[in-house]
Amino acid sequence: NDLLVSGDQFIVIRKTTNTHTLLAGYHWFTDWGRDTMIAMRSLCIDAGREKVSKSILQTFLHYLDKGMIPNRFPDTTDDEPEYNTIDASLWLFVVLYEYYKTFGDKPFIKEVLPKLTDIIENHLKGTHYGIHQTEEGFLYGGEGIAQLTWRDARVGDVVVTPRHGCPVEIQALWYNTLKIYEALMAVTGISSPLSEEIKKTSKKLKKNFSTRFFNSKGYLNDVIYPNHKEDDSIRPNQIYVLSLPFKLLAKKQQKSVLKIVTDELYTPFGLRTLNIGHPDFKPVYKGNNWDRDHAYHQGTVWPFLLAEYFVAYAEVYGNTNKTKTYIHEQIIKLKNHFYHENGLHGVSEIFDGENPNEGKGTIQQAWSVGALIKLLSLTSSIDRIKK
């Protein structure tokens, strides 16, 4: 109940559109496409807020441009929305899938199907920022110094973790986008002119994924660069391959990936963005803008990733009573943080990579709060959560 009340703070009305939106964090973040899609799964859908969920989805779909929803809306009506995100449009399919499974709103799915078709069509033929499908069925993105994934830290023209190419979580999201589209088309009974191409693409992607991404060390490469060596640094983005509903890996491979993520990245406060043994690992998030941005995704712990980690854990080991008890034991430190540290009834944006204890970044982050709601909805009946 306290988490749901805390989550209410992020749901606001944007004056430029006069519709619901979701702020990413207090005190300085506005509404971002990626953050909104991820956080609303818990703050809106798991919480049973059907009208708010629909309002947010309608707004983002209204501003569709070449098959992409905005990464950021302008603060004034004089400015244009920004579209520098490769994953927000793909997350929208996951949100719609969960929305339908929760609320059963078939008329709304029928209403938005043409726009979903537009998203896929544009991604297949190519859209903003060099986003296009490769011969292997992967989704490529990247152009100039624009960073398109959530690890987007940049200081001036210096990109801290460049990911132009085929990032691992984008392939999982792309595959799920295609499979969810097929599932929603089946629900509505409507046929799509893209059906054959989608089947061909998803089959090709799944066939090539293990070969290119699952490496000899038993985990997933972070980025595949066409005609270049892959980035095999141990990163948390690979957890989405395990947590999203449609799987690209065999069970044995999933278990191997989860073990390495657990051994190298897991903390009770979230997942590290880079393992401690890597030469680029930054143990503490502090200092001036340059120092902070260079530590932001180089080891710093992010609580929002715990939701995906434990969903993956439950997928691999079963959502048994033992699993549920383990999850409740593991979130005790974040529960204490929520009630007693860095602000009442809030979950911070990030924690230090080496010794996570004190919250840093924003003192109240939407997807951090949402992660805890997701974990409670995973381990308890949804009726209990909504009381």
Side-chain angles (χ1 to χ4, degrees):
N1 286 334
D2 292 337
L3 285 165
L4 290 173
V5 171
S6 179
D8 279 341
Q9 299 175 75
F10 303 103
I11 301 169
V12 299
I13 299 290
R14 189 197 305 104
K15 288 185 178 180
T16 54
T17 60
N18 197 33
T19 53
H20 288 94
T21 192
L22 202 153
L23 298 181
Y26 290 107
H27 299 325
W28 53 82
F29 286 141
T30 56
D31 50 341
W32 298 76
R34 174 187 306 113
D35 298 58
T36 298
M37 293 299 117
I38 293 175
M40 72 175 288
R41 298 165 67 201
S42 300
L43 301 185
C44 301
I45 295 174
D46 286 345
R49 299 181 173 104
E50 182 176 357
K51 289 182 179 179
V52 172
S53 300
K54 185 186 287 190
S55 175
I56 293 173
L57 289 165
Q58 286 172 326
T59 300
F60 276 90
L61 283 167
H62 177 74
Y63 285 89
L64 206 61
D65 186 88
K66 288 190 71 176
M68 293 178 66
I69 64 170
N71 183 47
R72 191 181 75 86
F73 281 98
D75 293 327
T76 69
T77 53
D78 296 329
D79 298 322
E80 295 295 324
E82 298 173 3
Y83 289 88
N84 54 315
T85 168
I86 189 173
D87 51 345
S89 305
L90 309 181
W91 272 116
L92 181 136
F93 281 77
V94 178
V95 173
L96 276 168
Y97 188 60
E98 295 182 0
Y99 173 90
Y100 176 74
K101 287 174 68 177
T102 301
F103 303 119
D105 187 356
K106 192 182 293 186
F108 181 60
I109 300 301
K110 284 186 175 181
E111 175 190 323
V112 301
L113 268 180
K115 294 192 174 183
L116 302 187
T117 303
D118 180 67
I119 292 173
I120 292 180
E121 195 169 27
N122 273 280
H123 280 70
L124 286 170
K125 70 183 182 182
T127 183
H128 298 297
Y129 297 100
I131 296 170
H132 67 275
Q133 183 187 207
T134 70
E135 291 183 2
E136 295 171 296
F138 301 149
L139 199 64
Y140 176 98
E143 193 175 82
I145 60 172
Q147 294 306 290
L148 307 179
T149 70
W150 73 271
R151 281 182 18 227
D152 57 358
R154 195 179 86 203
V155 189
D157 291 341
V158 177
V159 176
V160 181
T161 55
R163 301 186 82 215
H164 288 183
C166 304
V168 62
E169 80 279 15
I170 301 306
Q171 310 321 309
L173 283 164
W174 178 228
Y175 183 71
N176 273 263
T177 293
L178 298 173
K179 301 301 284 186
I180 287 169
Y181 179 78
E182 287 184 315
L184 295 180
M185 294 296 291
V187 160
T188 60
I190 299 172
S191 60
S192 168
L194 298 177
S195 292
E196 288 305 313
E197 189 172 0
I198 285 171
K199 286 178 183 176
K200 182 181 175 182
T201 298
S202 58
K203 186 176 180 180
K204 184 166 52 175
L205 196 163
K206 187 167 187 176
K207 179 184 176 183
N208 292 321
F209 183 81
S210 292
T211 305
R212 296 300 310 275
F213 280 91
F214 190 78
N215 60 41
S216 59
K217 301 168 190 174
Y219 63 93
L220 295 168
N221 296 320
D222 188 56
V223 187
I224 295 294
Y225 305 106
N227 305 317
H228 291 83
K229 190 178 185 300
E230 67 278 352
D231 177 359
D232 64 353
S233 56
I234 303 175
R235 300 281 191 176
N237 304 68
Q238 62 190 300
I239 201 67
Y240 290 111
V241 179
L242 279 59
S243 64
L244 288 167
F246 295 94
K247 310 301 181 191
L248 283 164
L249 295 177
K251 204 74 169 182
K252 186 177 179 180
Q253 293 171 317
Q254 292 177 43
K255 189 173 286 189
S256 175
V257 170
L258 184 65
K259 183 182 186 308
I260 290 176
V261 169
T262 302
D263 293 345
E264 299 287 348
L265 305 176
Y266 176 78
T267 83
F269 290 95
L271 298 186
R272 294 185 179 95
T273 41
L274 186 63
N275 63 310
I276 290 177
H278 195 283
D280 291 333
F281 176 79
K282 301 291 188 297
V284 181
Y285 178 84
K286 67 176 184 179
N288 58 27
N289 188 54
W290 175 275
D291 292 334
R292 293 197 313 275
D293 278 355
H294 275 73
Y296 206 36
H297 301 299
Q298 298 285 54
T300 298
V301 167
W302 291 69
F304 88 96
L305 293 167
L306 273 187
E308 305 304 322
Y309 172 81
F310 280 117
V311 167
Y313 187 98
E315 288 275 349
V316 170
Y317 294 110
N319 194 18
T320 62
N321 287 333
K322 183 179 178 181
T323 295
K324 292 175 182 179
T325 299
Y326 176 68
I327 292 173
H328 278 283
E329 290 171 349
Q330 290 298 300
I331 62 176
I332 286 174
K333 287 189 176 181
L334 269 181
K335 180 179 180 181
N336 182 64
H337 169 81
F338 176 78
Y339 281 115
H340 303 295
E341 298 170 353
N342 303 111
L344 297 176
H345 290 201
V347 186
S348 296
E349 178 190 6
I350 52 175
F351 292 82
D352 285 336
E354 191 165 37
N355 296 303
N357 277 304
E358 179 187 357
K360 295 187 174 181
T362 61
I363 66 167
Q364 179 73 311
Q365 188 80 353
W367 58 15
S368 297
V369 174
L372 287 174
I373 293 174
K374 177 64 72 179
L375 293 180
L376 291 178
S377 68
L378 179 69
T379 58
S380 313
S381 71
I382 195 69
D383 287 336
R384 179 181 164 195
I385 300 300
K386 285 163 65 178
K387 281 180 183 175

